[in-house]
Amino acid sequence: MEIFKLLSITLGAILANNFIFSQFLGCCPFLGVSKKVDTAVGMGVAVTFVMGLASAVCFVVNKYILIPLDLAYMQTVAFILVIASLVQFIEMFLQKAMPALYTALGVYLPLITTNCAVLGVVLLNVQNGYNFIESVVYGITGGLGFLLAIVLFASIRERLVFADYPKCWDGFPIALITAGLMALAFMGFSGLKVW
Amino acid sequence: MNLGKQFKDGMLTQNPVLVQVLGMCSTMAITTSFFNGIGMGVAVTIILTLSNVIISAMRKIIPDKIRIAMFIVVIAGFVTCVDLSIQAFLPDLANSLGVFIPLIVVNCIILGRAEAFSYKNGMVASFFDGIFQGIGYTWVLLAMCIIREFLGGGTFGGGVLGAVNEAGQHVGIQIFPADYGIGMLTLPVGGFLVLAALIAAMQWALARPKKDKEESK
């Protein structure tokens, strides 16, 4: 049973309830960092990593610190602090251990703190009452869904340069239309169910 | 300090959603009924104003290197207050906005204004900046709610006006039968498309006077 539940979380997070196309979490980096495919891949991988790690750490913080101390109302503050320090920590670690990846991610790394997909996944874990493994799986697969969406979107956006459309639709509007059409395509997955 | 210019910036020329393109997630996610739009708009305006004032007051003692962390702690504090108040006094609103109330913490509008405006300006100016930017955000939310609700289901003012359904919620005034509506617009897809149209309209409107001037030269 357990494995089926994990499978259904995975499929839901990547396809049916994709973080961007059906829950609108993480739209800012999705629109901001999707002009080129390689930066989009970097951002997607970094977000996946942070989401998985944040899910694990916040689950522990929530279960063993906040709930025993009766501080559940401080969840938002505690989680955002955990995420912010986690991102800072990853930044320092990458700078020392993997300077190549660090320079490739550049300014996007600190921006992950304000990515609502990260805080969103942590809050949704609590709301859905997931246990530790389910939380981590939801975090990682949610990140993979984000990666899939941003890479597909960036590769379409690269081709938009050659498209012919009215001048006032330049920039964000045409990108949003593209995203809307992709959301329509992703709605096709909504009947997908693993019991 | 120039109130008129700040007002115009917030409403149009520097509108947080349409021109600065910040806070997209909540703008697209919750604009399905009039009630949601008002609730979210007011909540963000209150938090933005309070955090702007506090950050402006502390701007001289916040060390430059950890300012983002400090901003987030201040904002998270206010968001928690507003979140708990909404859960206590407006449970309907808390249900329909769901996870998006705590997510105001990472709404880029608030952090963006803290970084771009209140960290550099005085308290009074920051206070008005918070109010005007908040109202600028609210009107865009309301415009999106009205368009999506009307074209999607043929209603106006859902959650606030009209008949009451079994769940005790107002369903809005039915202007044309729901069967004739474009159901797609109430789904996530509609959020992307309507916002795209609004931003395009804004870019068209902002570009027009410049073009006239160029032509007259």
Side-chain angles (χ1 to χ4, degrees):
Chain A
M1 281 320 282
E2 181 70 359
I3 201 83
F4 277 118
K5 188 160 186 211
L6 292 182
L7 200 60
S8 108
I9 291 176
T10 306
L11 279 178
I14 296 182
L15 299 173
N17 285 315
N18 188 287
F19 265 70
I20 286 167
F21 294 129
S22 80
Q23 309 198 41
F24 293 115
L25 294 171
C27 290
C28 296
F30 177 68
L31 292 166
V33 199
S34 55
K35 291 201 177 97
K36 278 192 181 151
V37 175
D38 22 342
T39 47
V41 173
M43 185 69 183
V45 171
V47 167
T48 310
F49 188 61
V50 175
M51 273 168 83
L53 212 57
S55 298
V57 176
C58 288
F59 180 85
V60 174
V61 167
N62 188 41
K63 182 148 189 201
Y64 297 104
I65 299 179
L66 293 183
I67 291 178
L69 293 178
D70 216 8
L71 282 174
Y73 61 90
M74 289 291 281
Q75 267 167 2
T76 316
V77 182
F79 290 168
I80 193 75
L81 281 178
V82 169
I83 293 169
S85 41
L86 211 57
V87 170
Q88 190 77 52
F89 179 73
I90 291 171
E91 202 181 334
M92 291 189 307
F93 174 75
L94 284 183
Q95 203 173 3
K96 268 266 183 261
M98 288 175 256
L101 187 61
Y102 176 77
T103 38
L105 288 174
V107 69
Y108 308 123
L109 208 53
L111 281 182
I112 296 175
T113 314
T114 52
N115 184 339
C116 38
V118 181
L119 186 59
V121 78
V122 175
L123 291 170
L124 285 173
N125 279 336
V126 175
Q127 224 169 56
N128 295 343
Y130 286 154
N131 64 27
F132 184 73
I133 296 176
E134 286 163 355
S135 297
V136 175
V137 168
Y138 192 55
I140 292 174
T141 52
L144 289 178
F146 179 85
L147 175 66
L148 176 71
I150 197 170
V151 171
L152 288 175
F153 184 60
S155 43
I156 295 180
R157 247 183 120 171
E158 279 189 345
R159 281 164 185 73
L160 276 180
V161 182
F162 306 109
D164 186 23
Y165 49 82
K167 191 91 183 81
C168 63
W169 290 80
D170 210 19
F172 277 105
I174 195 74
L176 282 170
I177 293 285
T178 314
L181 295 176
M182 288 176 72
L184 200 60
F186 267 74
M187 266 170 62
F189 292 115
S190 62
L192 204 65
K193 241 185 208 161
V194 183
W195 52 115
Chain B
M1 192 168 58
N2 186 341
L3 276 188
K5 187 180 170 296
Q6 279 192 335
F7 179 75
K8 201 181 157 210
D9 274 354
M11 295 301 126
L12 297 169
T13 46
Q14 285 296 319
N15 185 287
V17 182
L18 297 183
V19 179
Q20 301 178 52
V21 206
L22 297 172
M24 311 294 278
C25 311
S26 53
T27 314
M28 288 186 280
I30 53 97
T31 49
T32 46
S33 85
F34 200 67
F35 185 50
N36 284 357
I38 292 185
M40 190 71 180
V42 171
V44 169
T45 308
I46 292 173
I47 295 169
L48 183 57
T49 311
L50 291 174
S51 69
N52 258 4
V53 170
I54 296 292
I55 288 167
S56 170
M58 300 200 306
R59 70 184 187 280
K60 290 193 178 116
I61 50 169
I62 296 180
D64 210 39
K65 276 190 178 155
I66 55 159
R67 64 180 191 284
I68 302 285
M70 298 285 281
F71 295 164
I72 286 184
V73 174
V74 171
I75 296 166
F78 284 123
V79 169
T80 306
C81 298
V82 169
D83 186 17
L84 294 176
S85 315
I86 291 178
Q87 279 179 21
F89 298 112
L90 293 164
D92 279 351
L93 187 65
N95 278 338
S96 67
L97 292 180
V99 75
F100 282 95
I101 302 174
L103 282 180
I104 298 175
V105 179
V106 284
N107 190 320
C108 329
I109 295 176
I110 299 176
L111 201 62
R113 290 323 287 177
E115 172 82 11
F117 195 90
S118 52
Y119 193 57
K120 295 173 192 143
N121 289 282
M123 278 171 77
V124 182
S126 301
F127 174 77
F128 283 108
D129 181 73
I131 288 190
F132 294 148
Q133 292 282 333
I135 297 175
Y137 174 72
T138 309
W139 86 253
V140 177
L141 282 191
L142 287 182
M144 281 191 62
C145 292
I146 291 172
I147 295 172
R148 285 177 74 182
E149 220 192 308
F150 178 67
L151 294 178
T155 56
F156 175 75
V160 186
L161 304 168
V164 178
N165 66 3
E166 307 85 45
Q169 287 165 333
H170 295 279
V171 291
I173 301 166
Q174 198 78 37
I175 294 170
F176 60 82
D179 293 351
Y180 298 153
I182 314 165
M184 191 185 83
L185 286 185
T186 55
L187 298 172
V189 187
F192 284 112
L193 298 185
V194 173
L195 187 60
L198 281 179
I199 296 179
M202 193 70 182
Q203 290 190 352
W204 178 76
L206 287 179
R208 209 174 37 148
K210 275 185 213 149
K211 213 180 265 173
D212 288 349
K213 274 178 207 158
E214 276 163 22
E215 276 164 11
S216 63
K217 273 178 200 168

